[in-house]
Structure formats: C-alpha cells, structure tokens
Amino acid sequence: MKLLSALVLTLLFNLSYAEDCAHCGNKMTGANEGTLVLKYMSGSELIENLACTPGADLSESFCTLLTVFDNIDDYHTFIKRCFPNTSLDEIYGRAFFACSDVGYHQDEISLLSHLAIQFPGFSVGIMPVVRGYRDQGRLERFSELLNQKDSQGRTFLDVYKEALDKGEYIGTQLPAATASIIKKACMLGGVYNKYPQPADCKRKDKLFK
C-alpha cells in the first residue's frame, strides 16, 4: 500500500525519483533502483523529498497524501513545506471536502475531522494550531470551525462520534486517544448537533480569556 501511494506521489507531485519510476516494469519485483528507494522510504522521507507544486490545491494534495502520512507530524511537515505562507483560516476554514480516492473517509467533512479520524495523536498534534488561533486572540474562531455544520448537519463531534460508532478508522481505535480528542474538543467549545450533548462536554471559558 505504501509503495502504491508512493507511486501516486511520483505522478502528482513530481518527486525527484519520478523519472526513475515513470517507466518501471513490474513494480513488485523491485528490479528498478528507483522503485526500491520509494518502497523503503518512510512517509516522513517521502514528504521531505516532495517537489511542491506551485499553486497546488490544498485539499487535493492532502487527499493524495492521506495514506502516506505516518502521523500528524508528517501532515504538519507537509504544510510547512508546501503551504508555508497559508493562513490558519485558509487551511482549516476551507469548505468541506471528501477524499474520495482513499478508503478512510469518503464523506464531505472538515479538515479537522479528517485529521482526528486518521491520527491517534491528533489531540496532541493539533495543539500548535490551537495556540496559533489563541496567539491571534481568535480562539473563538477555532470553536466555530469545530461547530461548523456539514451538508448532513454534523459538527466535528458528530462526525467523530459516527466514526467511533463504526469502529473502522485508525485514530478511533485507541480508547485513551479517543477520550482525549473528545475532552479537548469539548473544552474548546465543541458541541454536538445531531446527537445529545453529554453533561460533561462543556467549554472551558478561561481558555478564551
């Protein structure tokens, strides 16, 4: 799967090894040196070697890389490398989109939901984003993003609950990680729209002062 993802990257992002692998024969034999290099590259190494495409669409790029990211740090590295001057709102406040070409989540959901479903370390890895909004005095904006409703009327917590109920996503299979994501979303003002609001899911107002 990692090899297949790597080969997709060579086509869409023009990795420095793309020329070597553009005409590889049987990719599973490892007969071509370029193929072997890609096969044994970690997600982090692949991202470090990306030749970022000027003017690339963020959502399309993200969806292409979703199966390559090993963890949320890889995602942050990708943003720093390929979208370094993009504002927080441009990244996280974008319209809902679906990663229809991957098997993790094909519904139209927010980027925050994609990250939470994909990565067990989301609750820790998203803190630089939270601090970014707080440093700008705009933590309320982050709450708005959590509570933005998609076409099915779902907020971040609604989508995450449905992912938990289905039990089929990587980031929702670790109980401690799951509890941490929900707790932080609640503290940051996250609410459910389609499901009852638990009594202990409350905003921590002092965070916003």
Side-chain angles (χ1 to χ4, degrees), residues 59-199:
S59 59
E60 182 178 338
S61 302
F62 170 79
C63 286
T64 302
L65 287 163
L66 190 53
T67 58
V68 174
F69 294 134
D70 290 327
N71 50 57
I72 198 168
D73 288 338
D74 287 347
Y75 162 75
H76 287 308
T77 299
F78 157 68
I79 291 294
K80 289 177 183 177
R81 288 204 65 244
C82 296
F83 298 90
N85 300 314
T86 309
S87 71
L88 289 172
D89 273 355
E90 287 178 293
I91 296 173
Y92 296 97
R94 299 168 64 83
F96 292 88
F97 60 88
C99 292
S100 57
D101 58 341
V102 297
Y104 293 105
H105 207 302
Q106 299 183 21
D107 294 333
E108 289 195 354
I109 57 178
S110 70
L111 179 57
L112 290 173
S113 296
H114 274 293
L115 295 173
I117 289 169
Q118 177 73 7
F119 301 121
F122 169 82
S123 62
V124 174
I126 202 63
M127 292 314 293
V129 180
V130 174
R131 285 194 292 270
Y133 276 103
R134 189 175 186 184
D135 290 347
Q136 294 176 7
R138 302 175 64 234
L139 198 52
E140 295 281 0
R141 174 57 179 159
F142 189 83
S143 289
E144 290 175 5
L145 296 178
L146 287 174
N147 297 325
Q148 191 175 9
K149 297 171 189 163
D150 65 13
S151 60
Q152 299 182 45
R154 302 174 302 179
T155 64
F156 171 89
L157 282 171
D158 290 322
V159 173
Y160 194 68
K161 172 178 168 47
E162 291 180 3
L164 279 174
D165 291 345
K166 292 177 182 177
E168 55 190 65
Y169 302 112
I170 295 175
T172 60
Q173 294 174 359
L174 301 176
T178 292
S180 182
I181 290 172
I182 295 172
K183 179 180 179 180
K184 285 185 178 175
C186 290
M187 289 171 56
L188 291 164
V191 298
Y192 295 83
N193 184 54
K194 289 186 66 177
Y195 303 97
Q197 185 81 4

Side-chain angles (χ1 to χ4, degrees), residues 18-34:
E19 177 116 12
D20 291 337
C21 286
H23 302 290
C24 294
N26 182 351
K27 310 251 185 329
M28 300 307 293
T29 67
N32 181 282
E33 182 179 353

Side-chain angles (χ1 to χ4, degrees), residues 32-52:
N32 181 282
E33 182 179 353
T35 303
L36 284 172
V37 170
L38 286 169
K39 181 176 180 180
Y40 293 107
M41 270 184 154
S42 67
S44 299
E45 289 170 327
L46 283 167
I47 294 162
E48 288 289 352
N49 284 280
L50 280 178
C52 301

